[in-house]
Amino acid sequence: MIPEPYLQALFGGALIGLATALLLLINGRIAGVSGIFARALGFRGTDLGANLAFVIGLVLGPLSYSVIYGAWPAAEFRMPLLFMALAGLLVGYGTRLGNGCTSGHGIAGLARLSPRSIAAAATFVASGVVTVFIMRSLEML
Amino acid sequence: MTATLRTFIALLAGILFGSGLAISGMLNPERVRGFLDITGAWDPSLAFVLVGAVAVAAVGNLLSKAMSKPVLDDTFHVPESNGQIDQPLLAGSAIFGIGWAISGLCPGPAIASIGRDVSTIYVFVLAMIAGILIHSGQTTESDS
């Protein structure tokens, strides 16, 4: 028997997969959040309206969850703001340079067995594991 | 008309994506970082999210192979499957992984949490936009 938090993770993941499939089959687009966000900001590409709409939907989804359940899902925010600012810079720059993030490479890319996405996902998970290990060694966690 | 319908589908996909993130527990940075913490208190939740998401997305991908074009467009805007594994791909992914581990946030959960009144999220998203700006200042992209 799978514990409930993992079942919720599986079900939530399936919804994310459904969003990815819808965007591909109907709009012909890859559901990569970093790319969609950059396009919604007007930095590149076309179809500004659809990209903005996806970003707005992404914000509305959890908002409606919080209205339906009366609270946001549990979360802890423990990192100091300075570290969050540094992390945000790295995530913004890195995902543009690498042309994708956890969604575009990690979900859509793995689902199409794209060699580039498999290499990207292996790289960001490895880099993340090493970073957390270093943070632990420095007693930041 | 077609563009309007595409915008509606994108909105729907965004709502589904954001709801999935909320239900899966992935809006909690500590659980995301917990997945990367293999020598500490490892939390496998993210692997379950990934399995659920990739399984459904793979069905979508198989269906797309049987279609000559998407329902509301003339062509699938999908990168070539034989693209090169080059240095920008690997360097960018490595840089992203560092930021992902420090914050416990990637672009999806960060943007999906904007409605939440948490200064950490605002700082992260603004810095992320700055990172995108720095990159677009270095390159002149013309792709879609």
Side-chain angles (χ1 to χ4, degrees):
Chain A
M1 191 60 202
I2 306 175
E4 199 186 320
Y6 298 154
L7 283 180
Q8 284 173 351
L10 204 58
F11 176 66
L15 284 184
I16 295 169
L18 182 64
T20 305
L22 270 180
L23 215 54
L24 178 68
L25 294 172
I26 302 183
N27 287 11
R29 295 281 173 179
I30 296 281
V33 176
S34 57
I36 290 176
F37 186 57
R39 287 184 208 109
L41 293 173
F43 287 126
R44 51 196 289 259
T46 50
D47 238 356
L48 183 67
N51 290 309
L52 262 178
F54 182 90
V55 170
I56 291 167
L58 193 54
V59 175
L60 286 181
L63 262 181
S64 30
Y65 174 102
S66 72
V67 170
I68 292 166
Y69 291 97
W72 278 76
E76 306 143 80
F77 301 93
R78 297 207 303 234
M79 276 290 133
L81 289 182
L82 193 66
F83 286 97
M84 293 305 284
L86 171 70
L89 269 177
L90 295 174
V91 168
Y93 184 83
T95 52
R96 288 331 309 130
L97 183 63
N99 228 334
C101 59
T102 340
S103 49
H105 284 314
I107 295 168
L110 291 190
R112 345 183 256 121
L113 296 174
S114 152
R116 264 175 67 85
S117 290
I118 293 168
T123 304
F124 59 65
V125 169
S127 149
V129 165
V130 170
T131 304
V132 170
F133 183 78
I134 293 170
M135 288 169 78
R136 220 170 235 304
S137 310
L138 297 174
E139 294 182 357
M140 287 168 64
L141 297 177
Chain B
M1 184 61 192
T2 315
T4 310
L5 281 174
R6 272 205 301 267
T7 303
F8 174 75
I9 293 297
L11 179 71
L12 183 69
I15 291 172
L16 279 172
F17 201 113
S19 306
L21 283 173
I23 291 167
S24 67
M26 291 300 106
L27 296 185
N28 186 350
E30 294 301 321
R31 288 184 71 181
V32 173
R33 195 189 294 110
F35 173 74
L36 300 169
D37 197 4
I38 53 173
T39 62
W42 190 56
D43 182 340
S45 301
L46 193 146
F48 283 89
V49 179
L50 199 63
V51 166
V54 170
V56 177
V59 172
N61 191 58
L62 283 178
L63 288 174
S64 79
K65 301 282 182 212
M67 296 160 66
S68 57
K69 64 184 191 64
V71 177
L72 291 177
D73 208 336
D74 299 327
T75 173
F76 285 103
H77 304 268
V78 172
E80 295 287 332
S81 60
N82 57 0
Q84 281 289 317
I85 297 171
D86 50 15
Q87 199 239 331
L89 178 81
L90 299 178
S93 297
I95 292 169
F96 161 51
I98 297 170
W100 186 36
I102 293 174
S103 59
L105 289 170
C106 48
I111 296 163
S113 300
I114 285 178
R116 189 173 204 151
D117 187 18
V118 179
S119 52
T120 298
I121 295 292
Y122 302 146
V123 167
F124 182 88
V125 172
L126 286 174
M128 192 170 82
I129 293 171
I132 297 170
L133 271 169
I134 292 170
H135 180 262
S136 75
Q138 289 177 347
T139 51
T140 46
E141 284 176 299
S142 57
D143 63 330
S144 61

